[in-house]
């Protein structure tokens, strides 16, 4: 009984936190403890005074039971029942009547009905928490504006006013150091072109990181806040784990898409990005949901929100090192370089880079075809001739290669890998929840 629950478990060394649902406390306790602890809890309950009182109440529950009154109430509640069934109920014994007085069991919902019920409930929850969604997007807008100001004009790759005199600033403010004519006329422009490319790459990276970090909160809170409700309903057979995750995913896309639209529109013109904004939004959205899928697995495995938040950096922070964010990919030790293939951020940055630097890649390939058109030119001299003919494209493509993005890469393999991460880790999360829901009771 609820009035003795706190004292009973407190005596066993399991204190229920203040302002915590006692039913949820017991369910999580049974859910996370091992078999030895569960056997001890069971034996202590069987020998407790509360268990003996409850057993006595159950044994004498039918002492004052009135079959005639119960059958009358059953007929009123089940007015659509067949007359033959009524006659059979009236002629049945008291014990048999006591099993039928509650009417016919409610028809179990099929898969589509359960899915629609989940979608409606999640929709009402999103609408109820619309102020939180609005405040999160306002915060995202302010942060994105700061990033846009920090990387102002990075995509234009123009020479900047550093605010102090520098001998390294060999070009007038506003001039593009990566132009072929500028590079051919000024030998110092090469270093400035490399720096401008690094700033451009940094601007693209901060857009991806901002989307990734924004997806962590959704992936953790969307499940942890409803953990007790989900475990009760799923273990009781109201819906399947797959239906639950499908409903969450359907609402994750519009929520994350709204956040990404706000972020991209805030920085696109400030940073001077070159990619198609719609394509860039789709790429960032796919990167976001692919990364959040890993966090979904960790959140499903964690027993509390604190554990989920503690585990989340394990899935996110290493990607910054192995995906070419903290340092160029070619500088990563060879023994660790293969880890980039396990990072959704690497594939997301590849998609974004191929879209953002498509003009540079096209100019490089056109220049390579033009130089190679003359069959008398040795292969070893092609790069040297290209450095003289189109030095800007050569420098920037070389910098792209150092980040692990080859000019001959296609867009669709990176897209496919993000989809594989998204589907694979979501299904793994469903499996983890399925295993956990089996041991709720």
């Amino acid at each position: 009984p609820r009035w003795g629950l706190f004292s009973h478990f407190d005596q066993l060394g399991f204190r229920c936190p203040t302002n915590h649902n006692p039913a949820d406390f017991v369910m999580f306790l049974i859910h996370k403890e091992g078999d030895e602890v569960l056997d001890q809890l069971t034996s202590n309950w069987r020998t407790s005074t509360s268990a003996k009182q409850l057993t006595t109440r159950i044994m004498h529950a039918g002492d004052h039971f009135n079959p005639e009154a119960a059958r009358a109430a059953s007929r009123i509640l089940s007015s659509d029942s067949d007359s033959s069934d009524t006659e059979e109920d009236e002629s049945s014994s008291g014990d048999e009547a006591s099993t039928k007085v509650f009417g016919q069991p409610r028809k179990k919902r099929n898969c589509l009905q359960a899915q629609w019920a989940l979608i409606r409930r999640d929709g009402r929850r999103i609408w109820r928490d619309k102020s939180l969604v609005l405040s999160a997007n306002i915060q995202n807008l302010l942060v994105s504006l700061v990033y846009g100001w920090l990387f102002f004009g990075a995509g234009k790759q123009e020479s900047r006013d550093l605010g102090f005199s520098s001998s390294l600033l060999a070009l007038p403010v506003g001039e593009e150091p990566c132009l072929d004519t500028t590079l051919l006329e000024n030998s110092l422009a090469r270093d400035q072109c490399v720096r401008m490319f690094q700033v451009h790459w940094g601007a693209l990276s901060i857009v991806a990181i901002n989307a990734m970090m924004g997806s962590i909160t959704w992936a953790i809170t969307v499940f942890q806040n409803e953990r007790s409700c989900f475990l009760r309903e799923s273990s009781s057979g109201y819906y399947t784990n797959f239906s639950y995750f499908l409903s969450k995913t359907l609402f994750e896309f519009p929520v994350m898409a709204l956040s990404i639209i706000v972020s991209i529109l805030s920085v696109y013109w400030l940073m001077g990005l070159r990619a198609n904004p719609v394509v860039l939004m789709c790429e960032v959205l796919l990167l976001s949901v692919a990364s959040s899928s890993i966090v979904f697995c960790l959140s499903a495995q964690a027993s509390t929100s604190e554990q989920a938040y503690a585990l989340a950096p394990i899935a996110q922070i290493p990607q910054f090192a192995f995906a070419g964010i903290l340092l160029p990919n070619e500088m990563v030790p060879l023994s660790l370089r293969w880890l980039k293939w396990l990072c959704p951020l690497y594939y997301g940055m590849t998609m974004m880079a191929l879209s953002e630097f498509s003009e540079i890649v096209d100019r490089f390939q056109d220049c390579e075809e033009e130089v190679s058109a003359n069959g008398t030119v040795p292969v070893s001299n092609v790069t040297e001739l290209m450095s003289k003919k189109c030095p800007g494209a050569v420098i920037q493509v070389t910098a792209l290669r150092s980040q692990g993005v080859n000019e001959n890469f296609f867009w669709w393999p990176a897209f496919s890998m993000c989809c594989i991460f998204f589907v694979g880790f979501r299904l793994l999360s469903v499996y983890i929840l399925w295993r956990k829901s089996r041991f709720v009771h």
Side-chain angles (χ1 to χ4, degrees):
R2 63 180 183 277
W3 54 83
L5 186 145
F6 289 101
S7 60
H8 175 75
F9 282 94
D10 193 17
Q11 294 174 358
L12 298 177
F14 301 98
R15 180 180 295 273
C16 181
T18 307
N19 299 326
H20 193 84
N21 189 338
D24 291 341
F25 168 73
V26 175
M27 186 183 67
F28 284 136
L29 180 65
I30 297 174
H31 167 64
K32 66 183 180 181
E33 295 296 339
D35 294 338
E36 295 182 1
V37 176
L38 294 180
D39 292 340
Q40 182 181 0
L41 290 175
T42 303
S43 60
N44 288 330
W45 162 250
R46 289 174 177 173
T47 58
S48 65
T49 304
S50 298
K52 296 177 181 178
Q53 293 175 351
L54 183 60
T55 303
T56 302
R57 290 176 58 194
I58 294 174
M59 292 176 62
H60 298 280
D63 290 351
H64 304 287
F65 181 70
N66 189 340
E68 295 297 334
R71 281 196 292 270
S74 177
R75 286 194 294 270
I76 295 175
L77 296 175
S78 306
S79 58
D80 58 343
S81 61
D82 189 79
S83 59
S84 60
D85 295 335
T86 305
E87 295 176 357
E88 182 180 351
D89 289 340
E90 293 176 349
S91 61
S92 61
S93 62
D95 293 337
E96 293 175 345
S98 63
T99 63
K100 298 182 180 180
V101 296
F102 299 103
Q104 298 296 326
R106 186 176 180 181
K107 184 178 180 181
K108 187 176 181 180
R109 290 178 174 178
N110 58 37
C111 182
L112 293 179
Q113 289 175 330
Q115 187 69 68
W116 176 242
L118 283 171
I119 291 175
R120 290 178 58 190
R121 187 175 69 178
D122 287 339
R124 288 193 296 267
R125 183 181 64 83
I126 294 294
W127 179 253
R128 184 177 62 249
D129 299 338
K130 56 182 179 294
S131 59
L132 297 178
V133 177
L134 179 61
S135 61
N137 280 282
I138 293 176
Q139 179 182 359
N140 181 35
L141 173 63
L142 297 177
V143 172
S144 299
L145 289 175
V146 172
Y147 289 150
W149 190 4
L150 178 64
F151 290 94
F152 182 77
K156 298 179 181 178
Q157 296 187 358
E158 296 177 348
S159 179
R160 299 185 178 187
D161 183 5
L162 301 180
F164 57 90
S165 58
S166 174
S167 59
L168 297 177
L169 187 61
L171 301 177
V173 175
E175 187 170 346
E176 298 184 25
C178 293
L179 290 177
D180 294 339
T181 54
T182 305
L183 289 167
L184 292 174
E185 294 174 359
N186 194 329
S187 59
L188 297 179
R190 177 184 177 86
D191 293 336
Q192 196 164 346
C193 176
V194 174
R195 290 198 298 272
M196 289 298 99
F197 177 86
Q198 291 173 347
V199 174
H200 194 171
W201 178 266
L204 204 63
S205 301
I206 203 66
V207 172
I209 293 174
N210 190 32
M212 282 183 57
M213 301 307 293
S215 66
I216 292 179
T217 303
W218 171 270
I220 293 177
T221 59
V222 74
F223 176 67
Q224 291 296 332
N225 290 348
E226 303 176 2
R227 185 179 184 86
S228 58
C229 178
F230 161 76
L231 291 176
R232 283 198 302 267
E233 295 176 346
S234 177
S235 60
S236 300
Y238 288 107
Y239 48 76
T240 63
N241 299 325
F242 180 80
S243 298
Y244 178 81
F245 250 92
L246 180 59
S247 178
K248 298 304 177 186
T249 301
L250 291 177
F251 279 94
E252 180 187 10
F253 270 95
V255 171
M256 295 305 303
L258 178 60
S259 176
I260 289 171
I261 289 173
V262 171
S263 178
I264 296 296
L265 293 181
S266 302
V267 304
Y268 186 82
W269 286 276
L270 288 175
M271 292 182 177
L273 301 179
R274 303 176 181 180
N276 186 309
V278 176
V279 175
L280 187 61
M281 291 176 189
C282 295
E283 293 169 345
V284 175
L285 176 60
L286 183 58
L287 167 62
S288 177
V289 296
S291 298
S292 67
S293 298
I294 303 177
V295 184
F296 262 111
C297 287
L298 299 176
S299 180
Q301 183 64 36
S303 300
T304 62
S305 299
E306 291 76 12
Q307 291 183 7
Y309 276 108
L311 291 174
I314 298 177
Q316 303 290 353
I317 302 302
Q319 296 191 58
F320 302 156
F322 303 127
I325 302 297
L326 297 181
L327 71 165
N329 193 264
E330 66 179 6
M331 300 298 295
V332 177
L334 190 61
S335 58
L336 299 175
R337 200 173 300 174
W338 60 272
L339 290 173
K340 69 180 181 180
W341 306 115
L342 305 178
C343 300
L345 181 58
Y346 170 73
Y347 299 103
M349 286 298 299
T350 299
M351 289 191 299
M352 296 168 64
L354 292 176
S355 299
E356 179 68 17
F357 301 104
S358 59
E359 296 180 2
I360 298 173
V361 172
D362 292 341
R363 192 164 70 246
F364 177 86
Q365 293 176 344
D366 292 340
C367 181
E368 185 177 25
E369 291 178 0
E370 185 176 347
V371 171
S372 302
N374 187 357
T376 59
V377 179
V379 177
S380 58
N381 295 337
V382 170
T383 303
E384 181 180 355
L385 292 176
M386 290 179 62
S387 299
K388 296 179 180 179
K389 185 176 181 61
C390 48
V394 172
I395 291 173
Q396 294 180 83
V397 168
T398 303
L400 270 179
R401 291 172 180 172
S402 68
Q403 301 292 348
V405 181
N406 193 284
E407 71 277 6
N408 294 321
F409 281 179
F410 292 100
W411 183 85
W412 63 265
F415 172 83
S416 302
M417 287 303 302
C418 285
C419 292
I420 291 174
F421 275 105
F422 170 73
V423 176
F425 280 101
R426 298 281 168 141
L427 293 179
L428 180 59
S429 302
V430 173
Y431 174 73
I432 294 174
L433 288 179
W434 172 76
R435 283 188 56 85
K436 285 183 171 292
S437 64
R438 292 175 57 195
F439 304 103
V440 172
H441 297 300

